[in-house]
Amino acid sequence: MITTVCSFVVACRQNTETAGDNQSVSAILFSADSLAKNIAILASDEFQGRMPFTEGETKTINYLKAQFAAVGAEPGNGDSYFQDVPMVNISTKAAPTMQVQGPKGSFQLKGYDDYVIWTNKADPAITLDKAELVFAGYGVVAPEYNWNDYAGLDVKGKVVLVLVNDPGYSSGDSTLFKGKTMTYYGRWTYKFEEAARQGAKGCLIVHNTEAASYPFSVVQNNWNGSRLQLDNRGKNVPNCDVIGWVSEPTANKLLSAAGLSMALLDKAKQRGFKSVPLNVYLSTSMQVKATYDKSHNVIAKIPGSTRPDEYVIYSAHWDHLGVGKPDETGDSIYNGAIDNASATAGLIELARAFNNMQPKPERTIVFLAVTAEEQGLWGSAYYALNPVYPLAKTVANINMDGLNAFDKTKDIIVVGSGQSELEDILNEEARKNGRYITVETHPEAGYYYRSDHFNFAKVGVPALYTETGVDVEGKGKEYGEKLADEYREKHYHRPSDEYDPKTWTLAGAIEDLKLMFQVGKRLAAGDQLPQWKQGSEFKAIRDKSLATKQQQ
């Protein structure tokens, strides 16, 4: 039996304390027993890996609805706990080869080995017929950094070849962008979006293991697979016909076909680089099958007592990978206990805590369990594009993606350090509890752009994302780093990510939930709105949103 861990107390107790007119935070109870129960159920085989569009989704969202209601959280979308998320499942079958024609000769590239392509379009057939290839540097248009790889370049109907990450990382120049720390402009998703905005027919990213932070084998997992997208029928959402990656050796072949060398890639790191047509032409095709359906976000709320029309949103994704390839034990259910049944269960704990506050929080607290994170952050993307609560009145987003299943840590890791004032608030609250914040060890990997908070950032809402610390109380950093490495290597996105009552104390999860509660409680009561910091690529979006609000 798991021992109950109480947050904000030295010894576990049930009584409440008051300090003036406010209920003492030490009286708010977080229960490891309750957290464990909800994780165990959400991550059970019965929920079949919580894949969107399956029976696992139906069971998950109905369970969350019941649990939010049980802890006193009201429906968050009118009289409903659900927000429909119209989506399309796009399955592709690409031709096995790509024909290349250039001034230095013609040859074929082999799909999967040399390149991986897919599409975000639902057209039944996609074709490249001698589409011109243009090298567009990093494929970045960033006015705040005085950088435009598409300046003076017409890529309409053409395929752009671009580099992964951004110039600051690859050049070693700390004055370019954010140096080694990846910005959004370095993410592969941005490259595809910008190429589409420029009218390109296709976009191929040159893979580099160090710059991408994963090997080409990870990219190869996308070959002839299926991907969920938002259902954008009737909307003017630009998409390239063909998107994907090429290996570095393949990029070398393409440049050689143009009579050029890989030295061109180094020149792209320098300010003032001009993108160049390659006089190389590509031909290939793919067949597409599109299936339309609806998934669901789950939304609950604790109404604010004095400013109910201003909002603090906690988020976590409820979905995982469903039933897939069996592992070495024959297990084919990807239970996703840590990723992300843990934080989804954490939303329920937070809802119960805020409902038990006396007096109630001044601003409305929203609990948003989103769908399809594993497929591309689509549930949060849909909410950001179709917000239930006005974005200009949304104070902040606090996102949780995986809680600490084991012992307490002295530290908590801020992902995307330097983005917003939320990390300053987190730091102050952590220090009050004898803890400290640290920054992520691999900022070049761009993890700030890989979870659901990112979609709030894209529309200007300050967003906080943390990871489990490694400085384990009584055991140190080496022990904590070993735990983190073991999870990544043995359990992340594998069927073995299961709830284990024998080893999961959840003491660390409770401590981190306590900290997230304190940050949210402060945001719910404060008059000052947290801001993006200077240098954040999202600051201008928020400033424009707030200026528009003031004019209304």
Side-chain angles (χ1 to χ4, degrees):
M1 183 176 180
I2 299 174
T3 303
T4 299
V5 180
C6 290
S7 171
F8 304 118
V9 288
V10 177
C12 190
R13 61 180 182 263
Q14 297 294 329
N15 63 300
T16 59
E17 302 171 3
T18 58
D21 293 330
N22 293 310
Q23 182 186 28
S24 170
V25 291
S26 67
I28 302 295
L29 176 69
F30 285 83
S31 167
D33 282 343
S34 172
L35 183 64
K37 173 188 174 184
N38 287 321
I39 294 173
I41 292 173
L42 289 166
S44 66
D45 285 356
E46 180 185 355
F47 280 63
Q48 293 288 296
R50 305 188 307 281
M51 183 73 172
F53 299 163
T54 68
E55 184 182 351
E57 166 168 1
T58 302
K59 289 182 177 180
T60 299
I61 64 174
N62 286 333
Y63 182 79
L64 293 176
K65 171 185 174 180
Q67 294 306 305
F68 279 129
V71 299
E74 299 179 6
N77 187 15
D79 59 359
S80 175
Y81 284 96
F82 302 140
Q83 179 187 37
D84 290 349
V85 181
M87 302 187 74
V88 56
N89 187 44
I90 299 176
S91 299
T92 57
K93 185 177 181 181
T97 60
M98 179 184 293
Q99 287 68 49
V100 180
Q101 294 178 304
K104 297 297 182 179
S106 301
F107 55 91
Q108 284 189 341
L109 296 175
K110 187 176 181 181
Y112 183 84
D113 292 337
D114 298 326
Y115 66 91
V116 175
I117 57 172
W118 64 91
T119 185
N120 287 339
K121 287 191 170 183
D123 299 354
I126 299 289
T127 302
L128 294 181
D129 184 13
K130 296 181 181 179
E132 183 179 355
L133 186 65
V134 178
F135 178 62
Y138 285 88
V140 168
V141 178
E144 68 271 36
Y145 294 116
N146 192 28
W147 195 281
N148 186 351
D149 285 315
Y150 287 99
L153 195 65
D154 180 9
V155 297
K156 291 181 174 62
K158 303 173 184 178
V159 177
V160 293
L161 183 69
V162 300
L163 300 175
V164 70
N165 218 303
D166 53 41
Y169 171 80
S170 302
S171 68
D173 183 350
S174 61
T175 66
L176 279 181
F177 289 67
K178 291 186 178 180
K180 286 287 186 182
T181 298
M182 184 189 285
T183 70
Y184 176 48
Y185 299 115
R187 285 288 287 145
W188 58 270
T189 49
Y190 167 80
K191 314 286 185 180
F192 297 152
E193 291 168 1
E194 189 58 52
R197 283 191 287 267
Q198 297 291 331
K201 188 175 182 64
C203 179
L204 299 174
I205 301 173
V206 179
H207 180 269
N208 174 275
T209 297
E210 186 178 0
S213 78
Y214 43 79
F216 192 64
S217 60
V218 173
V219 174
Q220 289 174 314
N221 291 333
N222 292 292
W223 180 253
N224 283 348
S226 63
R227 306 171 70 88
L228 288 177
Q229 304 286 331
L230 295 182
D231 179 359
N232 290 317
R233 288 176 294 181
K235 300 178 182 178
N236 186 25
V237 178
N239 277 303
C240 296
D241 285 6
V242 174
I243 52 179
W245 297 71
V246 299
S247 67
E248 278 192 304
T250 300
N252 190 29
K253 290 179 184 178
L254 292 170
L255 292 176
S256 296
L260 300 169
S261 73
M262 295 289 274
L264 181 65
L265 307 188
D266 288 327
K267 292 180 181 178
K269 306 172 186 177
Q270 302 167 13
R271 190 175 293 281
F273 169 78
K274 299 296 183 183
S275 299
V276 293
L278 298 179
N279 197 24
V280 169
Y281 298 86
L282 308 180
S283 299
T284 193
S285 63
M286 72 175 79
Q287 299 300 310
V288 180
K289 180 180 179 181
T291 305
Y292 293 89
D293 207 336
K294 289 182 180 179
S295 188
H296 305 83
N297 292 331
V298 183
I299 312 176
K301 68 178 180 181
I302 304 295
S305 58
T306 60
R307 285 177 283 184
D309 61 344
E310 297 178 5
Y311 311 92
V312 176
I313 298 180
Y314 286 91
S315 61
H317 71 91
W318 60 254
D319 68 298
H320 198 56
L321 303 176
V323 179
K325 181 180 178 181
D327 65 8
E328 58 277 5
T329 71
D331 188 357
S332 62
I333 297 177
Y334 289 69
N335 303 84
I338 286 180
D339 183 18
N340 192 30
S342 63
T344 305
L347 289 179
I348 298 169
E349 287 300 302
L350 286 165
R352 181 154 56 86
F354 276 103
N355 189 51
N356 287 340
M357 276 184 60
Q358 293 299 332
K360 291 291 190 289
E362 294 179 24
R363 290 184 170 115
T364 295
I365 309 295
V366 178
F367 308 94
L368 175 63
V370 295
T371 183
E373 188 271 354
E374 300 288 6
Q375 298 287 331
L377 315 183
W378 294 119
S380 55
Y382 185 82
Y383 180 90
L385 294 170
N386 303 273
V388 173
Y389 306 104
L391 297 175
K393 293 189 176 183
T394 299
V395 175
N397 168 241
I398 300 172
N399 184 57
M400 304 183 298
D401 196 347
L403 295 182
N404 179 6
F406 304 107
D407 298 330
K408 299 177 184 180
T409 62
K410 297 178 183 177
D411 62 332
I412 189 165
I413 298 172
V414 173
V415 180
S417 176
Q419 285 284 7
S420 81
E421 294 173 349
L422 289 172
E423 68 187 76
D424 301 328
I425 297 173
L426 176 71
N427 184 45
E428 292 171 7
E429 295 304 318
R431 289 168 65 89
K432 292 177 184 177
N433 289 272
R435 303 182 68 188
Y436 64 96
I437 67 172
T438 54
V439 299
E440 57 188 314
T441 54
H442 296 287
E444 71 278 5
Y447 289 117
Y448 189 79
Y449 313 103
R450 298 189 184 188
S451 194
D452 291 300
H453 62 284
F454 172 53
N455 283 315
F456 285 93
K458 285 176 72 174
V459 292
V461 176
L464 178 66
Y465 178 41
T466 63
E467 287 183 349
T468 296
V470 295
D471 190 358
V472 181
E473 287 190 2
K475 297 179 180 178
K477 295 180 181 179
E478 185 175 346
Y479 175 81
E481 289 169 353
K482 181 180 178 181
L483 280 179
D485 290 342
E486 181 177 337
Y487 173 72
R488 280 192 297 268
E489 294 169 7
K490 296 183 179 181
H491 307 299
Y492 175 68
H493 281 195
R494 291 174 57 84
S496 57
D497 183 5
E498 298 189 84
Y499 171 66
D500 183 2
K502 295 180 180 179
T503 61
W504 286 29
T505 67
L506 294 175
I510 293 296
E511 197 71 8
D512 288 349
L513 284 173
K514 158 187 164 180
L515 189 53
M516 295 302 104
F517 173 81
Q518 289 174 302
V519 172
K521 181 175 182 292
R522 181 164 160 181
L523 291 170
D527 291 325
Q528 187 173 0
L529 298 176
Q531 302 295 318
W532 293 103
K533 294 189 175 184
Q534 290 294 336
S536 171
E537 56 267 48
F538 308 111
K539 186 177 187 301
I541 302 171
R542 184 62 161 185
D543 290 348
K544 181 179 179 180
S545 174
L546 293 178
T548 301
K549 176 186 173 184
Q550 291 172 356
Q551 293 171 5
Q552 293 174 344

